[in-house]
Amino acid sequence: MSTHQFLRVAEAIRMEFSPQEGEVMREVFSPMDDGEMTFISAMELPQEAFAVFVRAVQNAHIACRQRGDIIVNEGVWQKLFDAISSDPRYLR
């Protein structure tokens, strides 16, 4: 994934967190926002917070498809969903 694609995906995900989910969003985006790194992380999230992150990712994917975002193709989303589904915290 290119840096440009990553930034588009990250921003799409960020937009899907509700105000009540701000703490989870801050934790996920802290490497990017606080550390000036080019990644986000859900590695340290407990299961309930991870479920909030997964919902945000799923909603971001839907929103990008509805907008016809061609910068972020299905292959990029599939890699993200593969990583999520391989995590033991993921509830099927």
Side-chain angles (χ1 to χ4, degrees):
M1 167 182 336
S2 72
T3 301
H4 184 69
Q5 285 176 318
F6 166 76
L7 293 173
R8 291 283 289 266
V9 168
E11 195 54 39
I13 294 169
R14 186 191 302 265
M15 290 175 16
E16 295 303 325
F17 285 95
S18 73
Q20 297 81 10
E21 298 165 342
E23 186 175 324
V24 174
M25 183 187 71
R26 281 187 292 282
E27 187 167 345
V28 168
F29 282 87
S30 66
M32 194 166 99
D33 294 342
D34 301 339
E36 299 179 10
M37 306 296 282
T38 339
F39 67 90
I40 60 176
S41 178
M43 295 293 292
E44 302 297 321
L45 295 177
Q47 187 164 5
E48 185 176 309
F50 185 74
V52 169
F53 169 70
V54 170
R55 183 205 51 79
V57 171
Q58 291 168 334
N59 289 345
H61 177 235
I62 292 166
C64 283
R65 285 177 57 199
Q66 289 174 342
R67 284 193 306 268
D69 191 334
I70 60 170
I71 300 294
V72 184
N73 62 44
E74 285 300 311
V76 171
W77 288 107
Q78 190 58 52
K79 287 179 186 177
L80 183 52
F81 288 127
D82 289 347
I84 287 171
S85 65
S86 70
D87 191 292
R89 297 169 293 175
Y90 179 65
L91 300 174
R92 291 166 192 8

